[in-house]
Amino acid sequence: MSRALVVARRELMAAFDSPAAWLVLALVPALTAVLFFVLGGFFAAGAASLRDWFAAVPLLLVPVAPALTMRLWAEEFRSGTEELLFTYPLRTSELVLGKFLGALGLLAIALFFTLGAPLTVAALGPLDWGPVIGGYLGSLLLGAACLAVGAFFSSCTRNQIVAWLLGAVALLVFNLLAVAATSAAMPEWLGGILWRLDFGQRFAGIARGVVAVDDVLFYLLMTFLFLAWNGLRLEARRWP
Amino acid sequence: MAVIAPARRQRRERLISGLLLAGVVASLLVVAGHVRPRLDLTQDRLFSLAPVTREVLGRLEDRLQVKFYFNRRLEGAEALLPARLVLRDFLDEVEAAGGGRVRVETVDPTESVAARSAAEAAGITAIPMPTSDAAGARIVNVYQGLELRYQDRTEVLPVLVPGEVEFAFVAAVDSLLRDRRPVVGLVSREPPMPPALPGVAEAVPPGREFESLRIRLGRRYAVRDLDLAEDAPDRLSDLAALIVARPERLSPREVFEIDQYLAGGGRVLVLWDGERIDVETNRPQPTETGLDDWLAAMGVRPEKAMVWDQAGFPFPIPGAPVRLPDGTEVRGPGRTVNYGLWPIVQASGLAADHIACQGLANLCFLWAHGLALGPLPAGVTAEVLVRTSPATGALAGDFDLEPYLENVERLARRARSGQEQRSRALVVALRGAFPSFFADREPPVAGRPIRSAAEPGLLVVVGDADAFSNRGIEVAAPSLGPSGNPQLAANLVDWLCQEEGLVDLRVRGGRPRRIRNFRQEALAAVGALDPDLDPDRREELVAEAERRERRIRRLISWGNVLVPPFLVLLLALGHFAFHRARARRPWRPAGGGEGTT
């Protein structure tokens, strides 16, 4: 684990040497604030609540999470540095976990810069902090699952744009499963499964302030599954 | 035996590993779906069952069968998904808390004719919901009802609203356990409902001004219309509470029945009014209640004059006609005026710690009267539950009530120049053992023993009957939203019926969490709230206040948009400057010595 953390730290530091990471850090709070304060009906509704703010998070992560992970493996494959990486005294799982934690750290920092929104709302009215804490916890859990999906697709290609595209499409599908589950053409048994696999519905539950163990387990298991698949892809490259 | 190439075998093994992994995760997800514990982080524990719900479920001795009728397919009505999530969560919680005595079953009435017939037989009908998609506009029939069966009794909640589901569910289960609903008596001078004809929708006669109140109370109670002059006294014996709505020319016999009910420990809500409004002339028509002497003996003296509160209902007034150069006439910009005869009461006018005032906002009284207290009978205590703002005058006599600009300004001036400006009580509650008004008088019913201060009772007097009439229940201002009148009525009746747990349940989460009212602050800051301003000057100030309000909103919005990227930019500049400076530092070999750049 400690070696995974070393990789994570190195990834995070390396990310800050690229303007792309700074751009993501600047865009996430700015975009959420535009959606909530400028385009959304915060002042018209007059409610001291961040419900609408958190409602945008699942869709916001559709482009952002793959953007944070697209270079994780695709860049190594493109430049051929994965051979060098595999010579380090690190297990594949440590490499996967380390790079994932680095990306998660970057997302957590981006979320930190959005704290201005709840602080503003709290200054304007009696904000219930429970759903806000739930919302941020849910954002981290959902973000972890989205990053794991993005990391997996990054390990499937050497082209960053293709990695981003595959990740974004996959996340969009995961966010629309609940809608598909309620369509008339969907058989009931399949609808039930799709409903349970939807990323957004579970996040909505946590963001309203109810942290259910099954929702937390869902995100952790989805993160684990995609990271494990990521590991298998790397193993295939390491030992062809 | 076929020999598989090592690379191909490895690929196959990895594929199998990946699929096995997915299978293990899928199995764990199924197991996780049955894990119940959850943490409710909301301040008021909005998504956890309330103690009263657990207490009611704990009283179940037999199995409670709950059928949740809803259409699983919501194409075109996806907006209902979050509400479904809340309802499903609630029913899961109820099933878990029921400890095997509650069984929840879901039925989709759109899946078969039999299921739809079962729903309709239970009294659950589809709500047509207009929607539009690529195929055009259409109607989606949405089912969202609950049928509860306990022993041989049934309760139905035809439409579930997420914010009210727990209250409605508990009230229904409580009714099932009690065998029948608590009865609330209603005395009024309304015309009776015409006899019901099978298959014909009941038309409500125009004079049934408390029908909305009946419907709302009917969600929890059996509302019994009473004629105190005719009904036998035992019709009052099983009442949980008695409502006397707009008393008019009550006979001594009727007053006697109310008196005896209260003196025997009854709970009475009086919706007092001193006049009816003539809709033709827009003038008050004074009425004789027949109850005033009795109320005075109980310690409450309603004022004959109507209150005029500067915090009145914001009526939109159309602008004055303006003639354009081409001769056409158009209306100038409209404005709102505070109609002081409809006082709006917010949190500052409520008894904050009284159960009946919990979760209330935007109370709107229509042509109300102040209530003076005292002298109180021995052993009776009183408290004011709702009061107007300190800037309240009174208007007595005959005057035009219509809320047009000049009249409102005229009435405001008259109210200020008349009686003293002070806060006036609009709802008062008295409790104690009430002595009989007829203890030292000739009773109107011969031969009946007179009860006096027999049991502690409760008396609530509201200085306005219109507030709980159909109009008062539905009244809403665009700038304030719906009024809290229905909730005040329900809270008062629940409190009188000792259903305080239900009051708690209803008001849970109802605490308004509003941000600052920038418009009001801006109006106050520029001095536009001064009632003595002339209309032109007021218009100028209102425009200035609107500009100020927009400036504040823009500042907050764009501050939130721009400040975080600015901070990130500063940090990025610092980061790159630090690294550049470090890269320029001379390299020093280990062990000392001179380095090179």
Side-chain angles (χ1 to χ4, degrees):
Chain A
M1 183 66 187
S2 63
R3 283 187 292 191
L5 287 177
V6 170
V7 176
R9 186 160 167 252
R10 186 230 156 245
E11 277 294 313
L12 200 57
M13 290 299 127
F16 283 124
D17 288 337
S18 127
W22 293 102
L23 196 67
V24 169
L25 289 188
L27 274 181
V28 167
L31 210 59
T32 50
V34 167
L35 289 173
F36 185 61
F37 289 106
V38 182
L39 302 178
F42 170 68
F43 289 107
S49 156
L50 278 132
R51 183 173 293 185
D52 292 344
W53 191 92
F54 283 115
V57 169
L59 285 180
L60 186 80
L61 283 171
V62 168
V64 168
L68 290 174
T69 56
M70 63 186 186
R71 53 173 284 284
L72 285 190
W73 299 110
E75 176 64 14
E76 304 275 7
F77 299 156
R78 191 193 60 78
S79 56
T81 49
E82 89 273 18
E83 299 289 349
L84 181 65
L85 205 59
F86 291 150
T87 62
Y88 293 160
L90 292 165
R91 287 197 294 269
T92 307
S93 59
E94 289 167 342
L95 277 172
V96 170
L97 193 63
K99 278 181 173 278
F100 164 76
L101 288 177
L104 187 62
L106 198 58
L107 180 70
I109 294 169
L111 286 173
F112 172 80
F113 278 106
T114 65
L115 281 173
L119 291 174
T120 302
V121 177
L124 298 179
L127 177 68
D128 185 351
W129 280 95
V132 178
I133 293 167
Y136 274 101
L137 178 67
S139 299
L140 276 178
L141 288 166
L142 172 66
C146 291
L147 290 174
V149 172
F152 167 69
F153 283 108
S154 179
S155 72
C156 293
T157 175
R158 57 178 60 232
N159 186 322
Q160 290 190 42
I161 303 298
V162 173
W164 179 85
L165 208 61
L166 289 173
V169 168
L171 291 179
L172 195 62
V173 169
F174 272 116
N175 276 293
L176 293 175
L177 290 178
V179 176
T182 58
S183 77
M186 195 62 66
E188 190 171 350
W189 64 271
L190 185 58
I193 292 173
L194 294 184
W195 178 271
R196 283 174 179 79
L197 288 177
D198 185 271
F199 275 19
Q201 285 302 313
R202 293 190 180 262
F203 176 76
I206 302 179
R208 71 192 160 104
V210 181
V211 183
V213 173
D214 63 325
D215 291 339
V216 175
L217 284 175
F218 168 79
Y219 285 125
L220 294 180
L221 284 170
M222 293 305 277
T223 306
F224 168 75
L225 178 67
F226 278 95
L227 289 182
W229 279 348
N230 188 348
L232 285 174
R233 290 286 310 164
L234 290 184
E235 283 289 306
R237 277 187 170 266
R238 196 170 197 173
W239 314 108
Chain B
M1 191 175 161
V3 178
I4 302 172
R8 206 173 144 202
R9 195 180 64 224
Q10 278 185 351
R11 271 204 302 277
R12 181 182 289 183
E13 280 172 6
R14 285 191 193 109
L15 183 67
I16 292 169
S17 304
L19 291 175
L20 278 175
L21 205 59
V24 169
V25 168
S27 313
L28 288 172
L29 281 175
V30 171
V31 174
H34 293 90
V35 178
R36 284 300 311 161
R38 55 183 212 156
L39 185 63
D40 185 351
L41 298 173
T42 56
Q43 199 176 346
D44 299 331
R45 300 286 173 270
L46 295 179
F47 302 104
S48 304
L49 294 185
V52 66
T53 310
R54 293 185 183 279
E55 183 267 324
V56 167
L57 290 173
R59 287 189 350 236
L60 292 171
E61 291 172 352
D62 212 336
R63 174 167 284 191
L64 174 70
Q65 180 86 21
V66 181
K67 272 190 184 176
F68 180 31
Y69 289 93
F70 77 104
N71 36 343
R72 192 178 56 78
R73 296 182 179 96
L74 282 174
E75 269 180 320
E78 286 83 5
L80 288 174
L81 282 175
R84 287 286 162 85
L85 186 71
V86 172
L87 295 175
R88 193 62 254 183
D89 262 13
F90 170 73
L91 291 173
D92 286 347
E93 282 281 288
V94 164
E95 196 167 22
R101 291 188 305 276
V102 180
R103 184 161 177 274
V104 179
E105 181 189 348
T106 54
V107 180
D108 183 351
T110 61
E111 276 190 342
S112 68
V113 176
R116 191 169 65 236
S117 303
E120 282 168 7
I124 294 163
T125 50
I127 312 156
M129 205 172 147
T131 182
S132 61
D133 53 20
R138 61 197 173 94
I139 299 286
V140 178
N141 284 324
V142 176
Y143 290 87
Q144 199 158 280
L146 214 58
E147 182 189 10
L148 300 107
R149 284 189 185 174
Y150 184 71
Q151 295 170 346
D152 58 344
R153 299 187 283 276
T154 305
E155 283 279 338
V156 174
L157 306 172
V159 182
L160 291 179
V161 181
E164 297 173 5
V165 65
E166 191 169 4
F167 173 82
F169 178 85
V170 170
V173 175
D174 191 49
S175 299
L176 288 172
L177 288 168
R178 287 180 191 216
D179 196 13
R180 70 186 188 100
R181 291 175 171 226
V183 182
V184 171
L186 184 72
V187 179
S188 73
R189 290 283 187 248
E190 296 165 290
M193 285 291 281
L197 295 172
V200 179
E202 277 184 296
V204 179
R208 299 275 289 184
E209 59 177 328
F210 295 103
E211 201 56 28
S212 293
L213 179 66
R214 276 189 191 83
I215 291 167
R216 283 175 188 268
L217 293 181
R219 294 175 189 169
R220 168 73 187 119
Y221 304 98
V223 182
R224 180 188 294 164
D225 284 314
L226 293 169
D227 181 350
L228 295 178
E230 299 291 330
D231 288 337
D234 61 0
R235 288 265 287 167
L236 277 68
S237 60
D238 64 341
L239 295 185
L242 173 66
I243 302 173
V244 183
R246 198 190 288 284
E248 273 187 276
R249 299 177 309 281
L250 290 184
S251 66
R253 158 82 196 268
E254 288 171 302
V255 177
F256 179 70
E257 296 298 351
I258 296 168
D259 174 81
Q260 288 300 285
Y261 175 70
L262 182 66
R267 287 136 194 280
V268 180
L269 171 62
V270 178
L271 309 180
W272 190 91
D273 230 324
E275 71 290 304
R276 276 188 179 276
I277 305 304
D278 185 336
V279 289
E280 297 290 322
T281 61
N282 265 316
R283 286 180 180 278
Q285 302 290 319
T287 54
E288 180 54 49
T289 65
L291 203 62
D292 294 3
D293 291 342
W294 179 81
L295 278 176
M298 298 301 123
V300 183
R301 285 174 290 108
E303 294 174 359
K304 293 291 179 195
M306 284 187 205
V307 297
W308 175 277
D309 188 345
Q310 282 187 28
F313 187 87
F315 258 109
I317 304 283
V322 178
R323 189 168 292 278
L324 298 176
D326 64 357
T328 53
E329 198 174 78
V330 294
R331 286 263 170 199
R335 50 176 290 201
T336 57
V337 292
N338 288 346
Y339 183 55
L341 286 174
W342 284 17
I344 299 283
V345 180
Q346 301 290 9
S348 58
L350 301 169
D353 53 351
H354 197 281
I355 186 92
C357 295
Q358 299 305 303
L360 294 179
N362 290 344
L363 296 182
C364 181
F365 293 84
L366 321 181
W367 307 295
H369 298 262
L371 301 169
L373 286 170
L376 297 171
V380 172
T381 58
E383 60 188 315
V384 176
L385 303 187
V386 181
R387 58 170 67 249
T388 61
S389 79
T392 302
L395 290 167
D398 180 35
F399 46 86
D400 185 4
L401 296 168
E402 202 170 346
Y404 59 92
L405 185 60
E406 293 76 15
N407 192 42
V408 169
E409 285 170 350
R410 190 165 43 241
L411 291 174
R413 277 195 298 276
R414 187 170 153 183
R416 278 199 298 277
S417 63
Q419 300 185 27
E420 62 169 318
Q421 303 277 306
R422 61 178 167 82
S423 175
R424 286 169 162 81
L426 293 181
V427 182
V428 296
L430 297 91
R431 63 174 96 200
F434 289 86
S436 172
F437 177 65
F438 296 93
D440 49 3
R441 287 178 173 82
E442 185 66 31
V445 183
R448 281 260 299 273
I450 293 176
R451 283 185 294 190
S452 187
E455 296 283 340
L458 272 173
L459 171 64
V460 175
V461 184
V462 181
D464 178 24
D466 297 293
F468 294 165
S469 69
N470 300 342
R471 175 163 25 180
I473 293 280
E474 308 298 341
V475 70
S479 57
L480 292 173
S483 82
N485 295 10
Q487 196 171 330
L488 172 63
N491 281 7
L492 286 174
V493 174
D494 285 346
W495 178 57
L496 286 171
C497 296
Q498 294 177 303
E499 303 281 11
E500 294 178 359
L502 288 179
V503 180
D504 266 342
L505 203 53
R506 189 191 300 104
V507 303
R508 215 157 63 117
R511 183 149 48 118
R513 290 184 182 274
R514 314 290 301 173
I515 58 170
R516 278 161 48 188
N517 188 337
F518 291 111
R519 184 183 168 76
Q520 206 62 22
E521 284 176 15
L523 286 170
V526 299
L529 296 178
D530 183 353
D532 294 326
L533 280 174
D534 73 82
D536 290 341
R537 177 70 185 137
R538 190 196 303 274
E539 253 174 50
E540 275 172 32
L541 290 175
V542 168
E544 190 188 330
E546 282 171 357
R547 281 195 297 276
R548 183 185 278 238
E549 182 197 358
R550 277 197 296 273
R551 265 202 310 275
I552 295 171
R553 287 182 178 193
R554 269 202 300 269
L555 186 71
I556 293 170
S557 301
W558 289 104
N560 268 281
V561 173
L562 297 175
V563 169
F566 181 70
L567 287 177
V568 171
L569 182 71
L570 284 182
L571 285 172
L573 289 175
H575 174 84
F576 287 117
F578 173 72
H579 278 271
R580 180 169 291 186
R582 202 169 63 170
R584 281 183 183 163
R585 257 186 295 180
W587 175 74
R588 288 178 189 280
E594 288 298 312
T596 56
T597 53

